Amino acid sequence: TLLVHHHRMLKNNIDLKTNLLSGPRLYNSPSLLTHILTNLISNAIDAIEDSKKNISHNSSNINIKNSKYYPSIYISLVLQNKNAIITVKDNGQGIPKEIVENIFNPFFTTKGGRGCGYGLSASKHIAEKYFKGTLRLIPRNHHAHSRNSNHNLANKYKTVFELSLPLISANNQHSG
């Protein structure tokens, strides 16, 4: 999934940080999980691109590379309470609180002609139906004070999505 977005991340000078456990195996559809992760990463890159545009429009004298904005995406996988928790964080423009309640609605978009507003809705549906998991946006005030994260790191990221997938043993695998 990261290889699909590698070119866009390089083009946007995005610092990608990961903390991914090795070991957990997927006994469902890798293509469905890839769909979810592709959408989350693509949205993070879009948000960073929009932030860079806003910086350059707000001050035409600022060179983005010399500004204090360092585009960053952080992806982690941890095992917690019999769940695999995949978190995708970015320091793009963030999601305004006025629209948070709509972001998982089908065809809701803030991207104009760049998107149809189906990605997050489909991703949430896939997480729930095929993985019996959840996909949610972590409110800013929750991830800024998380006891599991470095306070400075948590404040750096404006948008945090958490994909929680229940763990099952290889003997109890089920198809979705």
Side-chain angles (χ1 to χ4, degrees):
T1 301
L2 292 175
L3 287 176
V4 170
H5 299 289
H6 183 74
H7 177 73
R8 278 184 74 200
M9 285 192 260
L10 281 177
K11 176 183 162 196
N12 287 288
N13 198 29
I14 295 172
D15 179 31
L16 173 66
K17 295 191 183 318
T18 60
N19 182 15
L20 305 172
L21 292 176
S22 60
R25 294 182 181 213
L26 180 65
Y27 294 104
N28 204 313
S29 172
S31 63
L32 290 175
L33 180 59
T34 298
H35 176 90
I36 296 169
L37 295 175
T38 295
N39 181 260
L40 294 177
I41 294 166
S42 180
N43 285 350
I45 295 169
D46 288 346
I48 286 170
E49 288 175 342
D50 289 345
S51 289
K52 289 170 78 172
K53 286 177 192 171
N54 288 340
I55 289 170
S56 65
H57 285 124
N58 290 337
S59 179
S60 58
N61 296 330
I62 293 177
N63 178 342
I64 289 174
K65 289 190 177 190
N66 294 329
S67 75
K68 293 190 180 203
Y69 178 61
Y70 301 101
S72 180
I73 295 174
Y74 179 75
I75 302 169
S76 66
L77 166 64
V78 297
L79 303 181
Q80 182 178 32
N81 299 329
K82 297 187 180 183
N83 288 289
I85 308 293
I86 301 170
T87 306
V88 178
K89 302 178 181 186
D90 71 74
N91 69 343
Q93 64 185 8
I95 298 173
K97 63 182 175 182
E98 304 82 46
I99 67 165
V100 165
E101 65 186 38
N102 295 314
I103 64 168
F104 290 109
N105 292 342
F107 310 112
F108 177 80
T109 184
T110 60
K111 296 180 185 180
R114 292 186 307 156
C116 66
Y118 194 63
L120 284 175
S121 174
S123 295
K124 184 172 173 45
H125 176 76
I126 291 167
E128 293 171 354
K129 181 173 181 178
Y130 296 99
F131 292 100
K132 308 298 184 229
T134 60
L135 175 62
R136 66 188 186 118
L137 173 70
I138 306 295
R140 282 191 206 184
N141 59 341
H142 287 196
H143 64 83
H145 302 292
S146 171
R147 62 182 169 86
N148 295 330
S149 63
N150 177 314
H151 185 68
N152 292 333
L153 254 185
N155 286 330
K156 176 180 180 178
Y157 299 103
K158 294 181 180 177
T159 304
V160 178
F161 280 96
E162 180 185 271
L163 174 63
S164 178
L165 305 173
L167 297 174
I168 59 170
S169 69
N171 298 334
N172 294 331
Q173 55 184 298
H174 63 310
S175 60

